[in-house]
Amino acid sequence: MISAGKKLNSEQLKAVAHSKGPLLIVAGAGTGKTTVLVERLKYLIENNLAKPDEILIATFTEKAAGEMEERADKVLPYGYVELWINTFHGFCERILRDHALDIGIPADFKLLNQAEQWALIRKNQDKFNLDYYRPLGNPTKFIFELIKHFSRLKDENIAPQEYLEYAEGLEQNKDAMLGGNKKIKKNKEDSDENMEASRISELANAYHVYNQLLLDNSFLDFGDLIVLALKLFKERPNILKIYRDKFKYIMVDEFQDTNWSQYELIKILSAPNNNLVVVGDDDQSIYKFRGASISNIMQFKDDYPEAKEVVLAKNYRSGKNILDIAYKFINYNNPNRLEIKLGLNKKLEAQKKDNGLAEHNHFFSEGEETAGIADKIIELYKKEKETNWSDFAILVRANDTADKFVAELTRRQIPNLFVSLRGLYYKPIILDCLAFLKLLDNYHESSALYRVLNMEIFKASHEDIVNINKFARKKVLSTYEALLNIQAVPGISPEGAAGVNKLLALIRKHSQAVKKNPPAKVFLDFIRDSGLLESLDYSRNAVIFDYLNQFYQRMKKSEASEPDFRLKDFLNMIKLELEAGETGRLKIFQEDSDLVKIMTVHAAKGLEFKYVFVPCMVDKKFPAVNRPEKISIPDALVREKLPEGDTHIEEERRLFYVALTRAESGIFLTSASDYGGEREKRPSKFLEEAGLVANPKKQEMKKINAVNGLIKDLGEIQKKEIKPEIKTKHDLPAKFSFSRLEAYSNCPLQYKFSYILKIPVEEKANFIFGKAIHNALRDFFISSANPEFLQGSLFKKEEGEKNGSAKPTLEDLKKIYEKNWQADGYQSKEERESYKKKGAEILKLFYEKLNNGGWPEILFLEKNFNIRIGEYRLSGAIDRIDMLPDGTAEIIDYKTGNPKKQLLAGDKRQLLIYKIAVQQLLGLNVSKLTYYYLDNNSPLSFSGKEKEEKKLIEEIIREIKEIEKGDFSARPGFLCGYCDFRDICEFRK
């Protein structure tokens, strides 16, 4: 009997009243699946089929578990002793804490987060015997990918021994192929197979070492929780029986997103009675491995052929128009959908009278699109009296798209919140605080000083900061030393001097406290003494106060377990987390507050809003570009049934379907032609599939509006980045270099930090190493033309003269390398020795290849140039220019980084500049442009076409004119990871 209360439709009633055996509930978006699970919990208890603690509900996220428990509290009038509503990981941790000793692990095991996993691997990197996955120039490059790989292996319940045996089989096949004779010359296909076997062997061994490290240190990762609980139940049948008897009924939410290990756990636990209910919707599967959206559901049908099916298709959320568009769209994923595979009808039936509004608006530029969305939100908010700000959501495909909407809504005084579960350390206020704390640890950290001086409480103007840096360079002082002499800095403003003196006083006061006080106390004293709190208005800056509190709590948690934990330890911990890709966990601020929510589509799953906006509906943004796993599991080891077809585009469709079905009354899709690149963006193919192509007349009207300079400029005024006061050509350098232009091309803000403010940076190990190799090769070729050079005499011949007959030996090259070697600047003795050894190996191979292939006829070494490009000047130095047998010239540039297999347009810019210079100044006919990758002694050449040269000249002139305008807005991307200023940049990715 089902008690009165929540009114259920016939399909929901059928699902709730199911009392025995397996059941598959296919629950479409907005059809009340959570209601069904909670009502079924109530039904089982009220009908004495089970007690509250005899029912297990497994959910996918903590948020879902919390919401379900909250609902259960309301529907269970008599209360309960214990409810088992958990995430899979939470359930398994609970089991393992009680039974850890039964499978040989300590009950007080520590559960590692991703940053801690990264730190563990880095600390023990020498034990992994990595070669393929440990490039010397960036030894930590693949750690994060290895962690993801290990996690995926555990999702598939692949044990280290199984992986090792698979790798050993590949090695045996390789040896059999060679017939035991390793000297046999192999063709390319054989070579590729051998390399693949070695790569897999390296990964299998790394997986084994990683798991042994966890075991040795009493650590578990999140994947272990599932795998070890499964192991416990398989190896200890007496314990399995306890929990089988305990849980009379099991329900699984979001079943389509569970992995193989989780499903195996549920299967073994629910047997033999199989009172198992799983709820899922393949069309909303957005977390599944390699697009396997229906694999578990199809496997469920194979495992339980007698299972009943219930399809929930009555939608209580969205208008009919929205649902019809969503259904038409998702059908493009056929035949890889349950509707086709199981012959179901999944078309959602709207239960609301409101049809709902769905439209697509196309704009001319990104700025117009951002402003257009803000306009629409204001229009709807003013028009409908009962509408709140919290009724609106902007759903973005990628996190980095959100910043422009935060800025625009803030500028228009629309209360808003970017909802993210990560990124605390990237918030501007936290970056400011971290910069000050770094100064207490090291006064001379120039980038941190720059960040702090830009805080409102110390505010030094842009002109003041430039003058301080000029003074520091002129007097050969650090930035901090220049601040100590602030009154002597020419042109410093009274306000700037006052801010500097205030900062110096704080540093002096608090630097004494860091040795005796814990970090949280130091932080409290700073925000109190600096006037930071007084500068904020809680009513307007509530979110900032929340970020400060979360950072404070993070500090307190860090120091709780270590009495002697000090600021230096905290900063080292933050540095390690950032290196590991951890940006700081964020608790969602006042989720029910009246704010427009900006979030990713992934984060919006399970939520609903009256009005939803999905921007950037253009090619390569939504759907996004396919980025496959960098380290994938061999197909032979994958247990799930993987679908055929374009799994990436199908996953992107499911993600877009989720976005569409979040909307109750209106879904607004937007796109723009211009997002800042050279090419006009094409509208997303999803718009056509959804039948939402923009009205051409509306599009033309948007273009007309876009040329209104006043409106456009008003939209740009409130950018986060303060534009430096560079307005005239007089502020430009006398000449540009390739590195300057490359810095601006990569990110204008990086250019500002490096070339306008001239913030000092520490030289990196790979640059020190590269310089030593370049100088060694230069001196080596000079010695080939001038034997006296080897004895230390000044060579007499001119730089451009042809080589003499004497050729230096390999021993000579080694001595030259030793002379040019710089021992300072490396992070450790091990790193220095590793680089030095690598350099010796590189030069040995270089010499052998040179001797076997014939010595070049060198025309110039380290040739400087200074040319005119339009009205600007460009300078640089060319590593080597050779004369070829046909009388033409070859330009060669040495590279000590990772070798490339092919060159993109951006890669060619440097050598094309060199070619233009050589042809203009030296009159040589350059037929060959070569990057010589010293890491594997491989050249990569191209000729350089005239149209490429003309295009490059146009690009250079355009870039310099942009620099001239003084707009140094950030351009975040994957290069942020290599930027010298990432620690002070709030825009970094």
Side-chain angles (χ1 to χ4, degrees):
M1 183 182 96
I2 298 178
S3 63
K6 190 87 174 177
K7 188 176 180 181
L8 303 174
N9 63 44
S10 58
E11 292 83 7
Q12 290 174 330
L13 281 169
K14 185 178 176 183
V16 167
H18 177 81
S19 60
K20 189 175 182 182
L23 170 68
L24 169 64
I25 303 174
V26 180
T31 57
K33 69 178 178 64
T34 304
T35 296
V36 167
L37 288 172
V38 173
E39 288 295 322
R40 185 164 188 271
L41 173 73
K42 177 185 174 185
Y43 172 82
L44 294 172
I45 294 168
E46 289 187 345
N47 287 276
N48 297 317
L49 296 172
K51 297 173 184 175
D53 64 343
E54 293 176 335
I55 302 167
L56 171 64
I57 302 180
T59 67
F60 197 67
T61 65
E62 291 285 357
K63 182 184 172 189
E67 181 187 346
M68 206 171 294
E69 191 165 338
E70 192 176 315
R71 288 219 213 168
D73 284 338
K74 294 175 182 177
V75 302
L76 299 178
Y78 303 111
Y80 49 84
V81 176
E82 187 176 31
L83 270 182
W84 285 76
I85 302 177
N86 298 95
T87 64
F88 277 94
H89 292 110
F91 169 72
C92 290
E93 183 175 3
R94 195 170 172 179
I95 297 295
L96 290 175
R97 292 290 181 193
D98 290 339
H99 301 285
L101 298 179
D102 293 295
I103 51 170
I105 61 173
D108 61 347
F109 61 80
K110 181 183 177 183
L111 191 58
L112 299 186
N113 60 33
Q114 198 170 75
E116 290 166 332
Q117 290 173 267
W118 190 93
L120 178 70
I121 293 175
R122 178 172 180 179
K123 181 181 176 182
N124 296 278
Q125 210 166 354
D126 57 320
K127 297 177 182 175
F128 281 80
N129 296 322
L130 296 173
D131 178 30
Y132 192 99
Y133 290 107
R134 189 183 180 180
L136 182 58
N138 187 6
T140 62
K141 178 178 179 180
F142 288 106
I143 292 181
F144 184 62
E145 294 301 329
L146 287 170
I147 291 169
K148 287 204 293 188
H149 183 60
F150 299 158
S151 175
R152 279 291 309 123
L153 288 164
K154 291 179 182 182
D155 287 348
E156 295 287 307
N157 196 22
I158 299 168
Q161 189 57 40
E162 185 180 357
Y163 204 178
L164 286 168
E165 287 171 1
Y166 173 77
E168 188 178 341
L170 293 181
E171 289 288 345
Q172 288 173 353
N173 289 342
K174 179 180 77 174
D175 291 342
M177 182 178 65
L178 293 174
N181 184 358
K182 295 186 179 181
K183 293 183 180 179
I184 293 176
K185 187 175 181 180
K186 303 178 287 296
N187 60 33
K188 184 181 185 303
E189 188 175 336
D190 293 341
S191 178
D192 288 346
E193 287 182 8
N194 291 342
M195 184 179 290
E196 180 64 6
S198 299
R199 185 184 72 86
I200 294 296
S201 181
E202 183 174 311
L203 286 171
N205 180 67
Y207 185 45
H208 169 72
V209 171
Y210 168 72
N211 281 284
Q212 192 61 48
L213 280 171
L214 292 176
L215 187 63
D216 293 344
N217 291 279
S218 299
F219 296 153
L220 297 186
D221 61 25
F222 280 91
D224 284 326
L225 294 175
I226 313 295
V227 168
L228 291 177
L230 194 52
K231 180 181 179 183
L232 171 72
F233 289 148
K234 286 183 176 179
E235 294 183 0
R236 299 289 182 264
N238 56 320
I239 295 173
L240 174 61
K241 186 177 187 305
I242 292 171
Y243 287 98
R244 278 179 170 175
D245 292 342
K246 177 178 180 60
F247 297 122
K248 292 183 169 60
Y249 293 91
I250 297 176
M251 293 183 269
V252 181
D253 190 20
E254 302 286 9
F255 183 65
Q256 77 280 353
D257 286 326
T258 55
N259 60 48
W260 179 270
S261 295
Q262 290 166 338
Y263 180 38
E264 285 294 296
L265 181 78
I266 289 300
K267 275 199 299 186
I268 196 172
L269 200 54
S270 61
N273 295 325
N274 297 328
N275 289 327
L276 174 61
V277 172
V278 298
V279 184
D281 179 15
D282 59 305
D283 291 334
Q284 297 184 78
S285 176
I286 58 175
Y287 296 105
K288 208 68 171 77
F289 165 65
R290 280 163 70 174
S293 60
I294 60 175
S295 60
N296 272 5
I297 296 177
M298 296 306 295
Q299 187 65 50
F300 181 86
K301 292 293 293 179
D302 290 343
D303 293 336
Y304 306 103
E306 77 284 9
K308 300 285 193 302
E309 292 173 10
V310 173
V311 179
L312 303 182
K314 288 185 171 62
N315 178 283
Y316 298 92
R317 176 188 300 159
S318 307
K320 183 178 185 302
N321 191 31
I322 296 170
L323 295 180
D324 288 349
I325 287 169
Y327 181 72
K328 174 189 175 184
F329 170 76
I330 200 61
N331 270 279
Y332 280 89
N333 268 2
N334 291 339
N336 289 325
R337 294 178 60 241
L338 286 179
E339 198 166 34
I340 304 301
K341 299 289 185 183
L342 299 181
L344 307 175
N345 179 8
K346 290 183 60 193
K347 190 175 190 302
L348 296 178
E349 303 168 24
Q351 304 301 298
K352 291 178 65 174
K353 293 180 181 178
D354 177 15
N355 270 338
L357 178 65
E359 66 178 48
H360 166 223
N361 287 311
H362 186 81
F363 297 85
F364 179 71
S365 69
E366 182 179 31
E368 290 290 318
E369 179 186 25
T370 311
I373 288 176
D375 288 341
K376 190 68 177 178
I377 290 173
I378 292 171
E379 176 195 325
L380 291 168
Y381 180 79
K382 289 180 176 179
K383 190 168 99 175
E384 302 178 18
K385 290 182 180 179
E386 295 182 2
T387 296
N388 300 310
W389 293 120
S390 56
D391 289 323
F392 299 93
I394 301 173
L395 306 186
V396 297
R397 175 62 186 85
N399 271 315
D400 55 5
T401 311
D403 288 342
K404 65 182 182 182
F405 291 104
V406 171
E408 179 67 15
L409 296 188
T410 302
R411 184 181 76 81
R412 306 283 281 275
Q413 297 184 327
I414 300 172
N416 67 89
L417 175 68
F418 175 38
V419 180
S420 174
L421 298 179
R422 300 179 71 185
L424 177 63
Y425 305 149
Y426 282 6
K427 300 302 178 186
I429 188 66
I430 303 304
L431 282 170
D432 290 342
C433 294
L434 276 170
F436 179 81
L437 295 174
K438 286 176 183 177
L439 292 181
L440 300 183
D441 183 54
N442 178 9
Y443 307 154
H444 300 282
E445 188 163 334
S446 298
S447 60
L449 268 171
Y450 163 76
R451 177 96 205 179
V452 172
L453 285 171
N454 265 283
M455 292 176 70
E456 287 296 327
I457 50 177
F458 305 113
K459 193 63 178 171
S461 69
H462 166 77
E463 187 178 354
D464 285 335
I465 293 173
V466 170
N467 287 334
I468 290 167
N469 282 327
K470 280 182 181 177
F471 179 76
R473 288 195 305 278
K474 183 177 179 181
K475 300 293 184 180
V476 196
L477 302 172
S478 70
T479 308
Y480 180 74
E481 289 169 330
L483 296 185
L484 293 175
N485 294 276
I486 193 64
Q487 299 305 330
V489 175
I492 197 76
S493 69
E495 297 80 10
V500 166
N501 286 325
K502 178 182 177 181
L503 173 60
L504 291 174
L506 275 172
I507 291 173
R508 280 192 293 269
K509 178 180 179 180
H510 293 289
S511 59
Q512 299 302 315
V514 296
K515 296 175 184 177
K516 60 181 182 180
N517 291 334
K521 175 69 166 61
V522 174
F523 177 65
L524 280 178
D525 289 343
F526 161 65
I527 61 174
R528 186 185 299 117
D529 296 346
S530 65
L532 180 61
L533 290 184
E534 287 83 352
S535 70
L536 299 171
D537 179 347
Y538 187 80
S539 62
R540 291 186 295 108
N541 303 116
V543 175
I544 291 178
F545 275 87
D546 187 63
Y547 293 151
L548 288 170
N549 178 57
Q550 290 192 45
F551 187 62
Y552 175 61
Q553 299 301 331
R554 178 76 179 89
M555 281 182 155
K556 289 181 70 175
K557 183 180 177 182
S558 301
E559 66 194 35
S561 57
E562 297 182 42
D564 297 324
F565 193 81
R566 292 295 177 260
L567 180 63
K568 194 176 191 72
D569 302 312
F570 179 74
L571 292 175
N572 285 336
M573 183 193 73
I574 296 292
K575 182 181 178 182
L576 198 63
E577 287 190 19
L578 289 169
E579 282 186 60
E582 176 55 64
T583 59
R585 297 285 173 184
L586 264 174
K587 293 179 181 176
I588 297 176
F589 169 71
Q590 297 178 4
E591 192 175 353
D592 59 349
S593 56
D594 194 21
L595 301 162
V596 175
K597 305 300 191 302
I598 304 163
M599 63 179 73
T600 63
V601 182
H602 281 93
K605 176 130 182 247
L607 302 178
E608 55 190 44
F609 302 91
K610 190 171 184 179
Y611 297 111
V612 170
F613 295 82
V614 185
C616 303
M617 290 300 304
V618 293
D619 184 42
K620 294 185 173 58
K621 286 185 178 285
F622 206 166
V625 176
N626 186 18
R627 290 185 175 88
E629 290 181 304
K630 291 183 180 176
I631 308 176
S632 59
I633 301 176
D635 284 348
L637 293 176
V638 175
R639 307 193 198 284
E640 293 182 85
K641 295 177 181 177
L642 298 178
E644 297 177 354
D646 191 339
T647 57
H648 168 70
I649 205 69
E650 288 179 8
E651 175 125 2
E652 290 290 299
R653 278 200 193 99
R654 291 193 294 274
L655 195 59
F656 185 53
Y657 178 81
V658 166
L660 291 173
T661 54
R662 298 312 92 197
E664 297 172 359
S665 300
I667 179 80
F668 302 94
L669 310 173
T670 64
S671 57
S673 298
D674 182 6
Y675 285 92
E678 289 186 17
R679 294 184 180 180
E680 186 175 298
K681 287 289 185 182
R682 289 180 296 147
S684 167
K685 64 183 286 185
F686 288 175
L687 293 169
E688 186 177 347
E689 290 177 355
L692 286 169
V693 178
N695 186 319
K697 290 183 180 178
K698 286 187 179 180
Q699 181 175 343
E700 194 58 40
M701 287 173 64
K702 298 293 179 184
K703 286 186 177 181
I704 292 169
N705 288 337
V707 299
N708 186 316
L710 174 62
I711 295 173
K712 187 173 188 297
D713 289 344
L714 281 172
E716 297 295 318
I717 283 174
Q718 296 297 327
K719 282 191 175 183
K720 286 184 183 179
E721 168 56 17
I722 298 168
K723 296 177 184 175
E725 299 168 9
I726 295 182
K727 301 294 182 186
T728 68
K729 296 175 185 176
H730 301 294
D731 293 306
L732 294 175
K735 52 191 176 184
F736 281 85
S737 64
F738 171 75
S739 56
R740 270 181 179 267
L741 293 173
E742 198 67 3
Y744 186 83
S745 176
N746 290 338
C747 176
L749 185 55
Q750 182 193 59
Y751 179 94
K752 173 189 170 182
F753 285 148
S754 190
Y755 295 105
I756 304 298
L757 298 174
K758 295 183 169 63
I759 297 174
V761 294
E762 187 178 351
E763 196 169 18
K764 295 178 181 176
N766 56 326
F767 288 118
I768 299 169
F769 171 70
K771 194 186 299 180
I773 296 292
H774 274 71
N775 291 343
L777 289 174
R778 176 201 62 205
D779 291 352
F780 169 71
F781 280 118
I782 289 174
S783 71
S784 72
N786 301 273
E788 292 178 4
F789 178 85
L790 294 174
Q791 282 73 46
S793 303
L794 290 172
F795 55 95
K796 303 290 193 294
K797 297 183 182 180
E798 291 296 322
E799 189 184 76
E801 289 189 29
K802 294 184 179 180
N803 299 337
S805 57
K807 296 292 182 281
T809 65
L810 179 58
E811 286 304 311
D812 292 330
L813 178 55
K814 289 178 180 178
K815 290 175 184 175
I816 291 171
Y817 176 50
E818 196 66 42
K819 183 181 114 181
N820 282 286
W821 177 253
Q822 180 184 326
D824 296 335
Y826 296 95
Q827 290 188 358
S828 65
K829 181 181 177 182
E830 290 74 21
E831 184 184 57
R832 181 182 65 208
E833 293 306 312
S834 184
Y835 266 112
K836 190 170 185 182
K837 181 182 176 183
K838 178 182 178 180
E841 291 170 354
I842 281 173
L843 293 176
K844 180 175 181 290
L845 290 172
F846 181 89
Y847 186 88
E848 290 171 352
K849 185 170 183 178
L850 191 68
N851 240 5
N852 294 332
W855 288 64
E857 184 177 341
I858 296 175
L859 296 175
F860 299 97
L861 292 167
E862 298 285 346
K863 185 64 178 175
N864 293 317
F865 66 84
N866 189 326
I867 58 169
R868 184 175 289 279
I869 300 284
E871 56 186 302
Y872 309 106
R873 287 200 167 274
L874 204 61
S875 66
I878 303 170
D879 288 343
R880 206 173 102 197
I881 305 174
D882 291 359
M883 177 65 79
L884 298 175
D886 63 0
T888 62
E890 177 183 11
I891 297 174
I892 297 170
D893 187 75
Y894 300 126
K895 296 291 182 188
T896 51
N898 291 330
K900 293 190 175 183
K901 294 183 178 179
Q902 63 178 13
L903 299 174
L904 302 176
D907 300 321
K908 296 180 179 181
R909 284 167 49 111
Q910 182 179 3
L911 285 180
L912 285 172
I913 289 173
Y914 291 175
K915 180 181 179 183
I916 293 166
V918 168
Q919 291 180 154
Q920 275 188 25
L921 302 177
L922 302 177
L924 293 172
N925 178 13
V926 179
S927 64
K928 195 173 183 182
L929 302 172
T930 301
Y931 286 117
Y932 194 98
Y933 293 99
L934 293 161
D935 194 64
N936 62 355
N937 272 281
S938 63
L940 192 54
S941 303
F942 65 102
S943 60
K945 298 174 183 176
E946 188 176 346
K947 65 178 182 180
E948 290 178 308
E949 296 168 33
K950 287 181 179 178
K951 183 180 177 184
L952 177 59
I953 289 172
E954 291 171 2
E955 283 179 7
I956 290 172
I957 292 172
R958 185 168 60 249
E959 284 174 6
I960 296 176
K961 286 187 182 296
E962 288 297 316
I963 293 170
E964 199 171 11
K965 291 177 185 176
D967 182 358
F968 298 107
S969 302
R971 194 179 295 154
F974 79 96
L975 289 174
C976 290
Y978 305 95
C979 180
D980 291 319
F981 309 103
R982 69 186 313 274
D983 287 344
I984 63 168
C985 181
E986 67 203 69
F987 304 97
R988 63 190 175 184
K989 281 188 73 173

